[in-house]
Amino acid sequence: MKSIKMALLGGAALAVTAAGAQADDLDALKAQIEELNARVAAMETAPAVPAGYQLIAISEGELQQTPGLQMSAREKFSYGNRSTIISVLPTADAPAGTTISWSGYVYAGIRYKDSESNTTIRAYAPNGSEWNGSAPFFFVANEPDFVAGTIFVPSNVSGTTVGYNTVVQDGGTTLGQGFINLPIEVDVDPDGDWDIPARGQLRVNATTDTAVGEVGVDIRLRGNFNGNGNADVYMDVAWGYWAMTPELTFGGGYAESLGKINYGYAQGCTCYLTANAGLLGLDPGDVSQLRMSYGSGPFTMAIAVEDAGIRAPGQSGTDGINAGELGAAGSIGYSGDLFSGEIAGVWRSINDEDYDDSLGNAPEDLWQVGAGVKFGFTEMFNLQLAGAIGSGPTTVVDQGQIVDGTPYSSDWWTVSALAQANLSDEFSAEIGVAYTDREGEGFDAIALNNLWESDGVELTQWGILGGIYYTPVDQLTIGVEGEWWTTDSEFSTEYVAGLNPQIDKVKWETETDNWSVDLIAVWRF
């Protein structure tokens, strides 16, 4: 019995010793694994920044907003409200740290667009009756436009002119003066066009906390493509700012005018390849400027000194008129969940000497005052309303760029509405409508040794656009869009003094319809 007890005690001691050895080995193995994990983590977070700095984070976040330079809803839709953010923290002896965010997108779409127009030119005798036969004209161009002092004849009426040494030539621009057989009515209905427009866009936003407040820049690069060939990459925004206090910001550079209304048909929509009716957007055009902004909670206000240069017909690149003048703009806004709105205005001085007109037909200063509101009835639906009145040289604006216009004054008013709905988490839809009425001021012109007086161009334009979009993830959107707009214009001149002409009034009327439909795809990062 005693020997059995001794055997049992020995076995128990041996088991305890073996268990202790196994526990020691397990602890050692755990320590080795933890050390290896620490080394891997250290390698993954090793800073790729200059000496004296420490990289603290690379993360995905919301699209960074630049103080004093808020993005329109259309821009936010394009970027997708996402960005990649790098935060850099300095050591004790290094300068202030910096946060850099970047975001961008590429889109491409297949688009079909078409247009048709009807132009009628009539002449009237001194007794008021309509003239039939040869009549004098001012100048002749190859397509209708809105250049004051000109009566246009489409290029496909070649051979209808008589007298003088001028005929209408296909592809011509301004060809002189002569006689033309009136009345004429020409329908222009060219074949529709297929194309695949594409764009690459990159935005970099960098901010630094300094001893005097946050200082930063916002730079955006854009390249547009349409067929074969490289894009001319340009900056559509170049902006710098100093956040003097949490509420007050001083900024400057090249960006949208403070007088732009960021609601309604052309500014509040998603519309990647639509909103092409250049007179329906409430946008005076992007300009270089200096701006002071104030923001507290949902309220914002700002004032700016802006360059007043505009472009005239036929000018391109950096050419322009009125380059030696300045302007001013201001806005007041409120942004809430259920209601948002703004009131904005712009004024730009006009230099009469930039308009080479011996008859004193220089335009008046440009100004516009407008307002826009957005009602967020639910998270699924919102309605936007916008409108503006203004006066001055007419400018045609395409996504911020002044692409055309006339150096003669007109008075205008514009209204627009836009409804947007989130049909589900992935699908959204929108529909917009807008209308503008413009009345040009009268002017004088000399042709055929006679003084003629015009009552100016009277123009109306209205359009409708819509789209349905599928966004399964933040990085991808596929949509179908469409737009139709029509323009009606009327222009007439009357004989004032000089040699007695065959007629004393010429009237030009045109109606142009444009429409497009596209399939668009957008990729973001």
Side-chain angles (χ1 to χ4, degrees), residues 306-326:
E306 300 184 346
D307 193 294
I310 64 173
R311 290 172 59 182
Q315 295 179 318
S316 60
T318 58
D319 296 334
I321 56 178
N322 214 48
E325 300 296 315
L326 296 177

Side-chain angles (χ1 to χ4, degrees), residues 175-495:
L175 300 180
Q177 57 190 19
F179 291 89
I180 190 168
N181 294 322
L182 296 180
I184 61 172
E185 182 173 350
V186 180
D187 292 319
V188 179
D189 187 10
D191 294 335
D193 295 326
W194 289 94
D195 64 347
I196 301 181
R199 170 180 294 175
Q201 182 90 15
L202 177 65
R203 177 181 185 246
V204 177
N205 186 293
T207 65
T208 302
D209 290 322
T210 72
V212 297
E214 182 178 293
V215 177
V217 297
D218 184 342
I219 295 176
R220 306 175 201 175
L221 301 176
R222 173 176 295 179
N224 292 322
F225 303 83
N226 198 345
N228 178 260
N230 297 324
D232 293 327
V233 178
Y234 64 96
M235 290 187 184
D236 62 318
V237 172
W239 193 259
Y241 71 91
W242 169 27
M244 306 166 66
T245 71
E247 294 82 19
L248 193 62
T249 301
F250 174 65
Y254 181 85
E256 65 182 31
S257 170
L258 265 182
K260 174 182 175 181
I261 307 299
N262 287 301
Y263 294 89
Y265 184 89
Q267 312 306 332
C269 63
T270 305
C271 48
Y272 296 98
L273 296 179
T274 52
N276 294 311
L279 297 178
L280 296 179
L282 306 176
D283 184 1
D286 298 351
V287 292
S288 53
Q289 59 187 282
L290 288 172
R291 181 185 299 183
M292 185 70 73
S293 306
Y294 175 84
S296 179
F299 293 97
T300 60
M301 61 179 63
I303 57 173
V305 178
E306 300 184 346
D307 193 294
I310 64 173
R311 290 172 59 182
Q315 295 179 318
S316 60
T318 58
D319 296 334
I321 56 178
N322 214 48
E325 300 296 315
L326 296 177
S331 67
I332 300 175
Y334 174 87
S335 179
D337 294 333
L338 300 179
F339 173 81
S340 299
E342 69 174 336
I343 300 174
V346 61
W347 165 82
R348 293 175 183 170
S349 177
I350 296 298
N351 185 351
D352 295 350
E353 295 180 357
D354 284 348
Y355 301 88
D356 186 14
D357 192 330
S358 60
L359 298 177
N361 291 319
E364 299 176 354
D365 291 350
L366 181 147
W367 64 269
Q368 176 179 284
V369 177
V373 294
K374 176 181 177 181
F375 301 96
F377 297 106
T378 68
E379 293 183 357
M380 304 293 292
F381 177 77
N382 75 78
L383 174 65
Q384 301 178 35
L385 304 173
I389 59 173
S391 180
T394 298
T395 54
V396 180
V397 178
D398 180 16
Q399 298 192 40
Q401 296 188 64
I402 300 175
V403 297
D404 203 353
T406 170
Y408 289 86
S409 290
S410 62
D411 300 324
W412 67 82
W413 59 271
T414 304
V415 293
S416 71
L418 178 74
Q420 296 176 314
N422 295 319
L423 307 178
S424 68
D425 291 340
E426 294 86 15
F427 286 93
S428 62
E430 65 184 11
I431 184 170
V433 62
Y435 176 86
T436 187
D437 182 283
R438 294 173 180 257
E439 294 187 5
E441 295 185 0
F443 58 88
D444 297 332
I446 294 178
L448 299 174
N449 298 317
N450 294 285
L451 177 63
W452 298 76
E453 182 181 72
S454 169
D455 58 4
V457 177
E458 297 182 7
L459 179 148
T460 61
Q461 185 178 86
W462 76 278
I464 183 171
L465 61 78
I468 299 177
Y469 306 93
Y470 171 62
T471 306
V473 292
D474 291 339
Q475 293 79 13
L476 175 66
T477 295
I478 298 175
V480 177
E481 304 175 314
E483 181 181 24
W484 174 83
W485 75 94
T486 183
T487 305
D488 294 324
S489 58
E490 178 181 305
F491 173 81
S492 64
T493 58
E494 295 184 8
Y495 163 74

Side-chain angles (χ1 to χ4, degrees), residues 54 85 94 127:
Q54 178 184 356
I85 303 171
N127 61 7

